[in-house]
Amino acid sequence: MEKIIELKKVNKWFDKFQVLKDIDLEVGSQEKIVICGPSGSGKSTLIRCINRLEEHQEGNIVVDGTELSESTKNIEKIRAEVGMVFQQFNLFPHLSILDNCTLAPIWVKKLPKKEAEEIAMKNLTRVQIDDQALKFPGQLSGGQQQRAAIARALCMEPKIMLFDEPTSALDPEMIKEVLDVMVDLAKGGMTMIVVTHEMGFAKEVADYMIFMDEGKIVERAKTKDFFENPKSERTKLFLSQIL
Amino acid sequence: MNLIAKPSKENIKTYVPIGLFLVSLGFLDVFINAFFNFNLTAFLPSQLSYFLPLVLGFIGFYLIRIEFSGVRPLDILNKNINSNNFNALLTLFTIFIIIKSIPPMLDWFILEANFIGNSKEDCTGDGACWVFIKVWFNRFMYGLYPNAEQWRINTAFLILFAVVGASFFVSEKLKKYFILFLVFVFPFLGIKLISGGSFGLEYVESAAWGGLSLTFIISAFAILFCFPIGVILALGRRSSLPAIKYISIGFIELWRGVPLITVLFMSAVMFPMFLPDGTFIDKLIRVLIAITLFEAAYMAEVVRGGLQALPKGQYEAAKSLGMGYWRMNALIILPQALKLVIPGIANTLLALVKDTPLIFVVGLMELAGMIGLAKTNPKWLGMAMEGYVFAGLVFWIICYAMSRYSQNLEKKLSTER
């Protein structure tokens, strides 16, 4: 399988505190990976390093054949290929949902407005909020906003999608509608890295599970093995607490 | 026997009429006293007569202060202006002072003011001498600009108002061109028209410009230029490049720390000394640059306030969609930040307009400056009051219009529900 993301010996510090310790990770094209672990274990930082919202200090990160480093000139090009969905949605409140979705395709990918709107409507239909296209983010429920944020990321037609705890800020009732969209996306063959505590979702779509603690990858295993037969004690403890 | 009882729902039927009667009596006394100069209570000792309305009103307000009376107007009244003895007294004081000050103001402004004539001697009444404004009106509007050429100023402002007015009625697409014209073409066209020197127009040097038209010219140019400079400084101050960051900080702190009057004086008197021989920059332009840079420093801090109010997530979302620094700021960050600080921007721009009279220190006379000049004319001594009331009124109208516009803009741009 073709490798699309490759991390080698990645280390990162916030001042003196080390958040990532010798992270090695390979993600193949169309693979779905779920990262879990206690808070403060570095999961969010890890995926934020993949589109360089955070900078790593040591090691190599290669995304789709381009190495990320300080001298990476066209970091924008990489980011345009890597969609990201945030815990807090981060929709642009001054723009309508449709404009949220067309802004980057028009200004970054230089698509004509009409084409960008067609793509936007296609993706909004896919996440089932096409009827909300002309509303502003403040007028939507949390679940709808998160689905809009997913549609916005999809409009850039990314090769990889990163999800940073996409359901953590949602009411329990709205979690399902967002997870359904993500399952649908996974079945469509998208490469996905998801940080989440939704183990039901993980069991359904993940190829691999990664368990992180204190900045290290403690366990990396096929989903079935991970849940039925975890190797490390730390993983067992964690699973016993959340399952 | 019941009179000592606390006002309550039981005695509402007797207390409220008595209370209202006493309050009205108090108001009536003050009213007749102020407007007809007739003292209803002249038979009482003078001090008692003077304070009687207050006493009557106070007792009346006490009697009608019934909690949860069930009568809506009464409850609203009690809640807002009669919630306790102190508030009742404060209410009475305020209303009495307003009533008492209306007649003398009315007299001075209108009833005993002088409108007819064309010299100071025609002002025989006790009130304001509006003849002063009438006679000098042309100078107040155009300064020392030659009378025969004043149509040029009028034309420039007529075009401005026509284009601005029309832009409210045309389609969105056309509006864009109107705004581009107003920002990039009109300022230079208008200045050329007013200063002349080509197209067969007589040259009028900027020292002759003045009055309200100069107020408008300076304000408009300073607003036009200080805004983008302020935005760039604000972005610069938050830049991750140390050179840009510290230059911005230095610039802002330097200009914010110096009084405008000093800046103006230096721009007019000291700055030319540093220029190489033979170069000459018009005084008005130097002053304009000084005011623009001064206000830009304030604008920068206002805009920075808006930038800091935006959550980090907005930056991250923009970046994650592949936007670079300029696209992120132009499309995502600034539209939101500027919307947040519209009140602060309006504040700064109002202050700018009201700072323009300070240009008198370099010998330029806008509206207030012309009034200052006119009141020292030997034939018109003692007209300071009329002049400055007029100036105050004109500035208030300008500033209030700007303030209303900013409020409308805020409402129009609001996307929250």
Side-chain angles (χ1 to χ4, degrees), chain B residues 368-391:
Chain B
M370 281 313 292
I371 288 168
L373 195 67
K375 79 174 177 16
T376 54
N377 185 305
K379 286 186 196 155
W380 291 96
L381 289 176
M383 291 293 149
M385 184 98 125
E386 285 82 353
Y388 287 124
V389 165
F390 176 69

Side-chain angles (χ1 to χ4, degrees), chain B residues 202-224:
Chain B
E202 190 191 326
Y203 177 68
V204 182
E205 58 168 355
S206 64
W209 303 10
L212 187 62
S213 51
L214 185 62
T215 308
F216 275 128
I217 291 170
I218 291 187
S219 305
F221 270 90
I223 289 173
L224 198 61

Side-chain angles (χ1 to χ4, degrees), chain A residues 198-224:
Chain A
E198 296 296 330
M199 290 303 140
F201 168 80
K203 281 176 188 164
E204 188 175 347
V205 304
D207 297 319
Y208 279 99
M209 291 294 296
I210 288 177
F211 176 69
M212 283 184 76
D213 190 28
E214 293 178 345
K216 276 183 280 200
I217 292 184
V218 176
E219 187 151 354
R220 180 182 198 276
K222 289 225 154 150
T223 309
K224 206 170 169 231

Side-chain angles (χ1 to χ4, degrees), chain B residues 159-406:
Chain B
I159 295 174
L160 176 66
F161 291 137
V163 176
V164 171
S167 71
F168 283 104
F169 297 103
V170 297
S171 67
E172 286 294 314
K173 210 168 184 183
L174 221 54
K175 202 170 174 173
K176 222 184 276 170
Y177 293 109
F178 274 52
I179 290 170
L180 287 178
F181 171 78
L182 282 176
V183 173
F184 292 106
V185 183
F186 180 75
F188 307 100
L189 199 75
I191 277 303
K192 199 70 211 159
L193 187 62
I194 293 172
S195 69
S198 46
F199 304 113
L201 294 171
E202 190 191 326
Y203 177 68
V204 182
E205 58 168 355
S206 64
W209 303 10
L212 187 62
S213 51
L214 185 62
T215 308
F216 275 128
I217 291 170
I218 291 187
S219 305
F221 270 90
I223 289 173
L224 198 61
F225 291 117
C226 88
F227 189 65
I229 297 175
V231 169
I232 288 173
L233 282 172
L235 290 176
R237 191 166 184 167
R238 287 167 61 82
S239 168
S240 53
L241 306 171
I244 291 178
K245 182 175 171 181
Y246 289 110
I247 288 172
S248 303
I249 291 179
F251 184 94
I252 291 169
E253 296 304 338
L254 178 74
W255 286 88
R256 273 208 309 175
V258 186
L260 181 57
I261 208 159
T262 329
V263 174
L264 288 173
F265 189 76
M266 289 206 279
S267 77
V269 181
M270 281 177 64
F271 181 65
M273 294 197 286
F274 302 126
L275 286 178
D277 284 343
T279 35
F280 173 76
I281 301 176
D282 189 274
K283 185 156 78 178
L284 182 62
I285 292 179
R286 276 180 276 145
V287 163
L288 254 177
I289 293 173
I291 295 183
T292 303
L293 295 181
F294 181 84
E295 300 293 347
Y298 280 90
M299 188 61 78
E301 288 299 276
V302 171
V303 173
R304 191 166 69 95
L307 292 175
Q308 282 179 343
L310 285 194
K312 217 173 127 215
Q314 292 293 311
Y315 291 86
E316 291 178 350
K319 279 185 198 163
S320 77
L321 287 168
M323 293 186 197
Y325 180 82
W326 293 107
R327 281 197 195 110
M328 174 175 78
N329 276 303
L331 299 171
I332 307 298
I333 304 303
L334 283 175
Q336 293 184 66
L338 293 180
K339 194 172 85 181
L340 275 176
V341 293
I342 287 175
I345 293 174
N347 232 353
T348 310
L349 297 185
L350 289 181
L352 186 156
V353 173
K354 291 188 292 179
D355 278 347
T356 52
L358 284 178
I359 58 172
F360 84 89
V361 296
V362 298
L364 292 170
M365 308 282 186
E366 46 62 77
L367 176 62
M370 281 313 292
I371 288 168
L373 195 67
K375 79 174 177 16
T376 54
N377 185 305
K379 286 186 196 155
W380 291 96
L381 289 176
M383 291 293 149
M385 184 98 125
E386 285 82 353
Y388 287 124
V389 165
F390 176 69
L393 196 69
V394 172
F395 271 101
W396 182 80
I397 291 171
I398 297 170
C399 292
Y400 185 67
M402 287 170 66
S403 158
R404 291 302 307 208
Y405 180 72
S406 85

